[in-house]
Amino acid sequence: MNHFFISLLVLALFFSCAAPKSDNLCDAENSRFIPNLLIRFLAKDNSYQCGYKINSNPPACDLSYEETHYDANWPSIQKEMESQFALGSGPTESLVQYRPELVSTVLGISPSYPAFQGALNAPNGSIYFPPYYSPKILEVNTYSKTYSSFGTFSGSVELIGGALGPAGVLYFAPHLVSNFYAFDTNKSALSIVGNETLASAAYNGAIYAPNGKIYFVPSSETIIRYYDTYSKTIGQVATPTSGGFSTGVLTPQGKIYFIPFVSTQMYILDTKDDSITIHPYPFPGGNSYISGILTPNGRIYMIPHSVPEILYLDITTNAIETAASIPSPSTGMFNGAVLAPNGKIYPIPEGYGNFISFDTKDHTIKTLFPRPAGSYRSGALGPEGEIYLAPHTADRFDLIQTGSLGRFCPSLRLSPYWNKL
C-alpha cells in the first residue's frame, strides 16, 4: 500500500515544481496542496490542516496511550473495547497467588501495616503499587512476575494512588505530605515536582487530562490542584469543592466526574476551561462511593463502599440510575474496581467477604470466591486479562484470573480513562 502512495508522492512532487496558481496552501490549485497531504498521510500526522484531519479515527491499538483520551479517538476506543467484550469469557474466575513471598517480608515491615493503595500500569509492562504504609514503591513485571522496589518513604500514609502521565511518568497523589512526587518508570527515578501547603488527608488519586495536566482528587482538601506537564508547575482550579471524593472519572468530552465519598454532591470539572458544575443528584455521603468506571457505552458506574446500590451515570443524558444492589451489603465493602476485557467490573474487596463480578451487559452480580484474610485496595489489569490486586492488609501477592477471552491492547490498559486511582 505504501509503495502506491510513494509513487503518487513522487508524481505529485514532480508537478509541484511548476509555479503555484495560488499562495494559499489550503487551495487545491496550489501545486503543493497534494504533496503536503500525502506527506502528512504517510507520516500519520493527526493534526488539523485546512479544517480536516488526514488520519482521523485510527484503530485504537495504533494509538499511543497519550492519544487515547482525545475526544476524536473515542469512536475507535469504543469499537475496540466492544469487540473484546463480545468475545466473552470462560466458565469460571479464580484467585491466584502469583508470588509465594509474604508482602511484609518483601517490604521489611510489620504484617499489621497496610502496605499499598492503588496500582498503575506502565509502558514497560510492569505494574507499580504506590506506597500507603509501605516504605517503598513496588514494581511487578507482568510477564516474569518478578518484583523490584524503589524509593524511601516514611510509612505514614504519605500517598494514595495516582495516575500515569505522558512519557511513562507516574504522578502520585499526596495524602499526608506536602510533596508532589513523580516516578519515571524509564529510569526508575523518583523526584519531587512541587510542594504546597495542604490540608491533612489532602488527595485521593489523580487523573491525566487531554490538556496535559494531572488533576488531583480532593479528599479533605477543597482545592483541586493540578500539575501541568508542559510548564512543569503546580496550579489550582479557581472554584473550591465541598466534602470529599474517592476518585475521578475522565470522559471523552474532557470532563472529570469526582465520585462522592464523604461529599453529598458530585462535582464535574471541565478541563477545557477548568470550570466547575455540580450534578443535581443527592448522594448520601457517609463514605458512600469508592470507585467510578467508564464503559464504552458512555456510562460511569459507581461502586459502593458503604451503601448497597451500584449506580450509573449516562454521560449523554446526565441521568443517574440504580443498576443493581450488592448482596448482603455492609460498611467498608470495596476499595477500587477494575474493568476487564469480558465487559465485567470486578470490585476489589476491602471488608466484603467475597470477590464478586458485575456484568455491564445485563447488570448481573455473581459471587465468585471468598476473600482471603486481610484486605485489598484497588488493582490493575494485566496483558492477559488478569487483575493484579494491591495488597493493603492482605499479606499475599494475588491476582484474579478473569477468564476473559478478549484482551485489551497496551493503548487501552495504559489509557488515562482507566489507568488511575
Side-chain angles (χ1 to χ4, degrees):
M1 177 67 75
N2 278 351
H3 291 297
F4 171 75
F5 284 109
I6 290 170
S7 299
L8 278 180
L9 178 58
V10 170
L11 185 63
L13 287 172
F14 174 78
F15 284 109
S16 73
C17 293
K21 296 181 180 179
S22 169
D23 290 330
N24 183 2
L25 194 57
C26 291
D27 190 336
E29 293 292 317
N30 190 307
S31 58
R32 293 188 296 273
F33 179 78
I34 296 298
N36 186 58
L37 294 185
L38 289 172
I39 290 169
R40 293 178 67 244
F41 182 86
L42 292 173
K44 295 185 178 180
D45 184 347
N46 289 320
S47 62
Y48 282 95
Q49 178 179 303
C50 309
Y52 298 97
K53 278 189 176 183
I54 305 304
N55 297 283
S56 59
N57 293 325
C61 294
D62 286 353
L63 298 167
S64 69
Y65 75 86
E66 293 102 330
E67 298 173 309
T68 56
H69 58 343
Y70 296 150
D71 57 352
N73 292 326
W74 179 242
S76 298
I77 301 295
Q78 285 180 300
K79 181 179 179 181
E80 174 62 20
M81 293 188 73
E82 288 168 351
S83 70
Q84 299 305 315
F85 284 3
L87 297 175
S89 56
T92 59
E93 291 97 339
S94 60
L95 186 69
V96 176
Q97 191 170 354
Y98 63 90
R99 292 292 308 191
E101 298 90 347
L102 297 177
V103 175
S104 55
T105 301
V106 169
L107 298 176
I109 60 175
S110 167
S112 64
Y113 280 178
F116 303 106
Q117 179 148 331
L120 298 169
N121 267 293
N124 60 9
S126 290
I127 286 171
Y128 292 82
F129 299 108
Y132 189 72
Y133 266 97
S134 169
K136 297 179 181 296
I137 301 165
L138 191 69
E139 172 194 10
V140 173
N141 185 295
T142 58
Y143 298 101
S144 66
K145 303 296 189 288
T146 54
Y147 60 81
S148 304
S149 59
F150 308 95
T152 301
F153 295 88
S154 67
S156 61
V157 198
E158 291 192 16
L159 314 171
I160 290 187
L164 172 66
V169 179
L170 304 176
Y171 294 89
F172 300 131
H175 195 68
L176 293 182
V177 292
S178 57
N179 291 329
F180 289 79
Y181 285 97
F183 183 76
D184 188 333
T185 62
N186 303 297
K187 303 174 182 177
S188 298
L190 184 68
S191 61
I192 295 172
V193 296
N195 180 282
E196 299 283 328
T197 301
L198 304 176
S200 179
Y203 294 103
N204 290 330
I207 302 290
Y208 168 32
N211 59 10
K213 295 176 181 178
I214 309 293
Y215 290 89
F216 298 93
V217 179
S219 177
S220 63
E221 266 288 351
T222 60
I223 297 171
I224 300 172
R225 285 184 171 85
Y226 58 79
Y227 177 72
D228 190 320
T229 61
Y230 295 119
S231 66
K232 312 298 184 187
T233 57
I234 300 287
Q236 64 184 57
V237 174
T239 305
T241 63
S242 176
F245 308 90
S246 56
T247 189
V249 180
L250 178 68
T251 67
Q253 295 75 33
K255 295 181 179 181
I256 297 174
Y257 291 73
F258 293 104
I259 304 302
F261 187 59
V262 176
S263 179
T264 58
Q265 296 176 306
M266 173 183 278
Y267 282 71
I268 305 166
L269 171 69
D270 190 333
T271 63
K272 293 175 182 175
D273 58 8
D274 279 354
S275 61
I276 292 281
T277 55
I278 298 175
H279 197 284
Y281 187 89
F283 284 84
N287 302 347
S288 54
Y289 287 91
I290 196 64
S291 188
I293 298 288
L294 176 70
T295 52
N297 59 2
R299 291 177 174 177
I300 296 172
Y301 286 94
M302 288 166 267
I303 305 302
H305 183 261
S306 297
V307 293
E309 295 83 15
I310 297 175
L311 301 179
Y312 70 86
L313 182 149
D314 188 311
I315 62 176
T316 301
T317 65
N318 211 37
I320 292 179
E321 305 286 347
T322 298
S325 294
I326 302 296
S328 304
S330 61
T331 59
M333 294 183 289
F334 305 104
N335 200 313
V338 178
L339 178 66
N342 56 12
K344 295 179 181 179
I345 294 172
Y346 292 83
I348 309 303
E350 181 182 0
Y352 198 69
N354 295 303
F355 284 84
I356 65 172
S357 66
F358 170 78
D359 196 325
T360 61
K361 179 176 78 278
D362 57 14
H363 292 177
T364 55
I365 293 175
K366 180 181 177 183
T367 299
L368 303 178
F369 36 78
R371 169 181 56 82
S375 62
Y376 306 89
R377 289 193 176 181
S378 195
L381 188 69
E384 301 300 317
E386 75 278 27
I387 297 170
Y388 289 80
L389 302 170
H392 192 63
T393 60
D395 207 7
R396 301 157 45 107
F397 292 100
D398 291 325
L399 60 80
I400 304 170
Q401 290 286 10
T402 65
S404 299
L405 300 180
R407 299 288 184 268
F408 287 162
C409 60
S411 299
L412 297 185
R413 288 189 291 108
L414 297 169
S415 173
Y417 289 128
W418 300 284
N419 192 28
K420 49 78 184 179
L421 173 66

